[in-house]
Amino acid sequence: MKKEFVRVKVLSNSKFGEEIFVLEVQNKFENSPEPGQFIMLEPLNQRSVMPRPFSVVYADCDSIFIMVEIAGKNSQIYSELEEEDEINVSGPLGLPFILEKDKHYIFVAGGIGIAGLLFVSIGIAQEEKKFRFFFGVKTKKMEETSCLLSVEVK
């Protein structure tokens, strides 16, 4: 099923070091994204035609948060978006995670791959369930994202 693009406002753009940022956009979708899903952003570079997929870091009825690493012209342009700017987004896409109750989970992520697991980790932490999260980086620039892992788990 093809998802149509909707025009949304940028609500915030928070930098985590030089090359990582979290973009918050309006949630205008009928069904809010769930952990494990992603959204597509329109390409803003005139030479690009393909939309760019981004894992949802967190979503509620008002906002969707995505984490982006600057890796090319589109992500550089996304990093420069400011509050009240507008962008076309499509989604939510993909199948959400299905977690069994009363299980202990271990999550392993590397680099920007952390984005897809943060949303599910937040949900598990809010339910006060136990889990472990292992996060590895190979470059100094990615170490700055470790502040996103400040979720306290019992």
Side-chain angles (χ1 to χ4, degrees):
M1 173 185 356
K2 183 177 177 185
K3 297 274 185 166
E4 298 298 321
F5 279 86
V6 295
R7 192 96 179 140
V8 299
K9 284 187 181 177
V10 172
L11 302 176
S12 69
N13 190 343
S14 304
K15 309 282 189 227
F16 291 91
E18 293 180 27
E19 298 187 28
I20 306 294
F21 61 96
V22 174
L23 192 63
E24 177 188 10
V25 298
Q26 282 178 309
N27 185 356
K28 287 188 173 180
F29 297 126
E30 186 176 315
N31 297 312
S32 197
E34 297 179 48
Q37 292 189 299
F38 64 97
I39 64 171
M40 302 287 271
L41 298 184
E42 72 172 326
L44 297 178
N45 175 7
Q46 293 179 347
R47 301 191 79 167
S48 298
V49 294
M50 298 297 293
R52 302 299 193 257
F54 293 96
S55 294
V56 175
V57 172
Y58 182 76
D60 58 30
C61 61
D62 299 316
S63 303
I64 298 171
F65 296 81
I66 59 169
M67 182 186 297
V68 181
E69 178 180 15
I70 298 173
K73 291 183 181 183
N74 274 299
S75 53
Q76 178 64 47
I77 296 168
Y78 299 146
S79 77
E80 296 165 1
L81 290 172
E82 297 178 353
E83 190 174 329
E84 299 298 317
D85 285 345
E86 293 187 348
I87 188 168
N88 290 323
V89 299
S90 178
L93 300 162
L95 297 174
F97 291 125
I98 299 173
L99 300 177
E100 297 179 33
K101 295 187 183 288
D102 302 321
K103 296 283 184 178
H104 181 101
Y105 289 93
I106 298 172
F107 298 109
V108 180
I112 199 69
I114 188 176
L117 294 178
L118 285 175
F119 197 1
V120 71
S121 299
I122 291 167
I124 291 173
Q126 288 172 340
E127 293 177 14
E128 298 185 359
K129 294 183 178 180
K130 289 185 178 182
F131 71 95
R132 292 182 185 250
F133 198 122
F134 297 94
F135 172 54
V137 297
K138 74 176 183 181
T139 62
K140 185 82 171 157
K141 68 181 179 183
M142 286 302 297
E143 284 182 29
E144 294 156 341
T145 63
S146 63
C147 63
L148 294 171
L149 296 176
S150 62
V151 177
E152 185 175 318
V153 182
K154 294 182 180 183

